[in-house]
Structures are given as structure tokens and as C-alpha cells.
Amino acid sequence: MRVPSGRLVVDAPWDDDDVSRYERGQPTRPPRELAVSIPPGVYRVEIAWTAGPYEFLGEYFDGVECAATRLCVSDDPVIMWEMGLGVDDDIDRLQPGKPPQFYADANVGCFADAGAWTTLSAPFRTFKDGRPVPRAIERMPGWCERVRDESQQADLVTFTADSGGVVWLGRTKTGDVATIVVTSGMPGAKA
């Protein structure tokens, strides 16, 4: 995926609470942009899957679920992990034991170039009569989608994010960000 601005949004591509505002063309909440930036560039997105039985509403199923998704910034080894704070997160207001995360009503998260957010997220934010309008996107493996903004050479890539996601930054020995990981649907998961 392309991130020409070096500023990264890690959030849901739309918010169910904003549907009426989308339809009326009113401003919506800002996206969750990370407080750290990465070098402008093209990065691969990888998904880790887990398979096995699970229980849902008292019934048992076999299934495959997305455990985590990562944006690979470099191939350098990660030597430490930290929470991926957003530009609007206040470290003093974080509740102990509750890592900052984004919320995904429809269990979809995304990585997107923050500089092109308005254009990239528009296909997900177009509703009529409270329902999403069919969008022209590129389907990718693992139920992912990609939207491209060729005028800015930027992308948005979706991924499964059950109940939202906790964002982790993997840093190298020099302190550079090597990877950005979103754990999905696993509140106690560590990077």
C-alpha cells in the first residue's frame, strides 16, 4: 500500500454513528491518525490467521479468524513494542489496563494515508436511506479491500478488526518503526 504523506490512519473506514451525517454531507469525527509518522513509501500488509473451534452465543463452530494485521515498514528486527497512540490520544487520560484502540462497528479496520483520507474513505462513507451505496473497490484476499487515489498516489486497505483493534508499534534498535500491528478481537493480546 502507498503512504506518500508518511502520515498513517489506523481506524475503521466508516462509523455507523455517522451515517446520518454522511447522508447530509455534514462533518464527521476525524480519523484516528497515528502520532508517529513513517517514511513516505510503499509497504506490504500481512495478515495472521488463527484456526480452530470457537463459541458464539452458546453454539460451537470451526472457523478461521484474523488474529492480527500488520503494515511492514521495514524488515529490520523488532526489539521492543509500544502502544500506537493517535494524535488525539492523551497519555494522562488512558485508563490502566485499557490500551487505546479504534472502534469498528462493522468489524472492519483499515490502514490509509492520512493526507488522502477524505478521498480514500469516501466510498465507505456514501449512504442512501441509511444503507451503504455499492462501492467501486479492489477486492483482495482475506476479505480485504483496497481503494486507490491515483491523484495523490495513496491507498486505503481494509482488514478484519473484530470489535475494533489495538494498535502496536514495533521498533528497531535505532528506535525506528519497523512494523505497525493491529490485534483483532483479542482484548488481552500482546504484540
Side-chain angles (χ1 to χ4, degrees):
M1 86 167 264
R2 300 171 296 177
V3 186
S5 72
R7 296 171 35 229
L8 189 67
V9 168
V10 184
D11 202 348
W14 76 91
D15 184 336
D16 285 348
D17 293 338
D18 280 341
V19 169
S20 64
R21 288 186 285 275
Y22 299 147
E23 287 185 308
R24 293 190 305 263
Q26 295 176 333
T28 58
R29 71 170 177 79
R32 187 172 190 279
E33 181 179 340
L34 293 184
V36 300
S37 58
I38 58 177
V42 178
Y43 302 104
R44 74 182 180 274
V45 176
E46 298 176 338
I47 299 174
W49 300 94
T50 184
Y54 66 95
E55 182 266 335
F56 180 72
L57 296 176
E59 293 187 52
Y60 291 87
F61 303 90
D62 285 325
V64 176
E65 296 292 328
C66 174
T69 305
R70 76 176 171 182
L71 181 77
C72 301
V73 178
S74 81
D75 291 327
D76 294 340
V78 170
I79 64 150
M80 68 177 205
W81 292 96
E82 67 184 57
M83 287 185 281
L85 298 175
V87 293
D88 294 327
D89 288 334
D90 182 349
I91 193 87
D92 294 328
R93 298 181 137 213
L94 293 178
Q95 297 175 359
K98 184 161 173 57
Q101 67 184 81
F102 64 90
Y103 295 96
D105 297 327
N107 295 331
V108 176
C110 71
F111 292 122
D113 181 81
W117 174 257
T118 301
T119 303
L120 293 170
S121 64
F124 300 95
R125 295 167 172 251
T126 306
F127 285 75
K128 182 173 170 102
D129 298 326
R131 295 198 173 306
V133 172
R135 55 187 179 262
I137 48 86
E138 177 185 350
R139 299 240 181 252
M140 301 179 71
W143 303 288
C144 298
E145 299 173 329
R146 177 174 29 205
V147 175
R148 298 172 181 261
D149 179 353
E150 293 307 331
S151 68
Q152 297 185 60
Q153 296 292 297
D155 297 325
L156 177 152
V157 174
T158 66
F159 51 85
T160 301
D162 293 338
S163 304
V166 177
V167 183
W168 297 95
L169 304 178
R171 292 196 182 265
T172 66
K173 66 181 177 183
T174 61
D176 296 326
V177 174
T179 190
I180 299 166
V181 175
V182 177
T183 56
S184 176
M186 302 182 316
K190 301 287 188 254

